[in-house]
Amino acid sequence: MNQEHAQQLKAAIEAVKSRDIGNIYFVACGGSMATLTPAQYILDREIDIPSAVYSSNEFILRSPKALNEKSVVISCSHSGNTPETVKATEFARSKGALTISLSHLVDSPLWNAAEYRLHYDWGTEARAEENNYGILYRLIFGILNTLYPNEKYARAVDSVETSLHDVFERNKANTLEAAKAFGSDYKREPIIYTMASGINYSLAYSFAICLLQEMQWIHSSAIHAGEYFHGPFEVTDYDVPFIIIKGIGETRLMDDRAHDFCQKFSDKIVLIDAETFDMEGISAEVRNYFANLVAGVVLRQYAQYLSEFRGHPLSVRRYMWKMDY
Ligand SMILES: O=P(O)(O)OC[C@H]1O[C@](O)(CO)[C@@H](O)[C@@H]1O
């Protein structure tokens, strides 16, 4: 266990405990916003303190009336440099909110803007319990366990710290051949939709906007499985690809309904079904909250092989970080 990370988490959790909390905001852009979103889902399900997710600039511009000294604002920027997220964190602090920021870069502008800072590891060598989701889940379940002590939350933290890494590795190995087949079969597709609901929706969103659009320049759109029947299903056809992510929790009914319909008319469905994951080691009562993380790792491997078969590295950009925007 990284002791520096553990100290940073302890300080942030204690700070939350010392306050009277009225609401919790999650603020970030793009992939980082998608990373934070499952935490909001978990809070929604577990406690009655209201919470919301905002894209950083909208947070400033909309300026929620309830943002005040009773707010906790959790922001995240992988680079620590996204100006909107830095400004949103400064904005939250100026309103008296308790600010906690996650970043891979120590001493970045975001790092210096927040009151409490959480560093996370990144890259192929990083252990799951120390990466972005590992730190976020230790924070969220740590906060829950502090505010509402419950063995379930303690076991969730324990699942992150002792099992998540191996769960990721096993599921990556189990889906390696499927990832290669996806890369090979879908390499010439000009458009790929993603679909999910509940805690998995932000994964469908980040796969569409970050992996497919940003990193592969493939047209895409994330469709909420519940919303599919309210417009998007009209584009379903035998040659239109959909990646459907099915969860194991309370919103699976919506995933099933969308999948049942979609497979009648599309011959190109890539199903990522959390029911097939090996979740051994993750406490049973919180598996729904972890299956989306496993789906993310599985899908990342799919993107990696798509990129290899297309000869288009995931790191290539046309505009991002190259010009003013
Ligand atoms: O604030 P961050 O996490 O550094 O984000 C920077 C960029 O990285 C992404 O999350 C993924 O490349 C983009 O969506 C975003 O614009």
Side-chain angles (χ1 to χ4, degrees), residues 29-32 77-79 82 210 214-215 317 320-321:
C29 292
S32 287
S77 170
H78 180 75
S79 63
T82 296
C210 297
E214 174 188 334
M215 300 181 195
R317 305 286 184 278
M320 192 177 274
W321 305 307

Side-chain angles (χ1 to χ4, degrees), residues 104-169:
H104 178 52
L105 191 64
V106 171
D107 275 338
S108 59
L110 181 66
W111 193 262
N112 296 321
E115 203 175 342
Y116 292 89
R117 304 94 179 247
L118 305 175
H119 174 262
Y120 59 79
D121 294 342
W122 188 248
T124 45
E125 300 302 309
R127 301 259 329 157
E129 65 272 21
E130 310 292 351
N131 75 12
N132 53 351
Y133 280 116
I135 296 293
L136 177 68
Y137 271 45
R138 286 162 69 190
L139 174 71
I140 289 304
F141 285 111
I143 289 174
L144 285 172
N145 201 29
T146 300
L147 297 182
Y148 307 90
N150 185 330
E151 272 305 304
K152 171 175 149 181
Y153 302 140
R155 281 195 291 271
V157 173
D158 193 56
S159 295
V160 179
E161 292 178 349
T162 61
S163 304
L164 191 59
H165 190 82
D166 291 343
V167 169
F168 282 175
E169 292 307 309

Side-chain angles (χ1 to χ4, degrees), residues 33-53:
M33 187 180 77
T35 299
L36 294 180
T37 304
Q40 194 269 332
Y41 185 93
I42 294 168
L43 294 185
D44 250 6
R45 292 279 304 160
E46 298 293 328
I47 59 175
D48 58 8
I49 297 174
S51 56
V53 180

Side-chain angles (χ1 to χ4, degrees), residues 44-255:
D44 250 6
R45 292 279 304 160
E46 298 293 328
I47 59 175
D48 58 8
I49 297 174
S51 56
V53 180
Y54 277 84
S55 183
S56 304
N57 251 353
E58 174 142 348
F59 185 63
I60 301 170
L61 297 171
R62 208 196 294 190
S63 185
K65 199 100 184 158
L67 173 64
N68 56 34
E69 59 289 339
K70 286 188 161 192
S71 305
V72 175
V73 176
I74 299 174
S75 59
C76 177
S77 170
H78 180 75
S79 63
N81 280 306
T82 296
E84 298 99 303
T85 307
V86 176
K87 285 200 194 96
T89 305
E90 289 167 350
F91 173 68
R93 220 170 153 177
S94 75
K95 297 277 186 183
L98 173 67
T99 50
I100 302 171
S101 293
L102 286 77
S103 181
H104 178 52
L105 191 64
V106 171
D107 275 338
S108 59
L110 181 66
W111 193 262
N112 296 321
E115 203 175 342
Y116 292 89
R117 304 94 179 247
L118 305 175
H119 174 262
Y120 59 79
D121 294 342
W122 188 248
T124 45
E125 300 302 309
R127 301 259 329 157
E129 65 272 21
E130 310 292 351
N131 75 12
N132 53 351
Y133 280 116
I135 296 293
L136 177 68
Y137 271 45
R138 286 162 69 190
L139 174 71
I140 289 304
F141 285 111
I143 289 174
L144 285 172
N145 201 29
T146 300
L147 297 182
Y148 307 90
N150 185 330
E151 272 305 304
K152 171 175 149 181
Y153 302 140
R155 281 195 291 271
V157 173
D158 193 56
S159 295
V160 179
E161 292 178 349
T162 61
S163 304
L164 191 59
H165 190 82
D166 291 343
V167 169
F168 282 175
E169 292 307 309
R170 291 200 306 272
N171 284 282
K172 260 161 65 181
N174 291 347
T175 55
L176 180 63
E177 293 312 315
K180 288 181 186 168
F182 171 74
S184 168
D185 295 349
Y186 286 79
K187 62 179 180 284
R188 300 211 199 291
E189 295 295 342
I191 179 160
I192 304 174
Y193 291 108
T194 61
M195 183 148 64
S197 70
I199 198 165
N200 293 299
Y201 180 69
S202 56
L203 176 60
Y205 174 72
S206 64
F207 200 80
I209 75 152
C210 297
L211 276 310
L212 293 175
Q213 293 178 319
E214 174 188 334
M215 300 181 195
Q216 288 298 292
W217 309 350
I218 292 176
H219 293 285
S220 186
S221 170
I223 301 168
H224 188 278
E227 290 293 292
Y228 176 60
F229 298 100
H230 304 283
F233 72 156
E234 289 294 339
V235 302
T236 311
D237 215 333
Y238 72 96
D239 58 349
V240 179
F242 289 83
I243 296 175
I244 300 179
I245 306 156
K246 294 215 283 190
I248 49 174
E250 46 290 326
T251 70
R252 185 179 172 92
L253 278 176
M254 278 193 285
D255 305 333

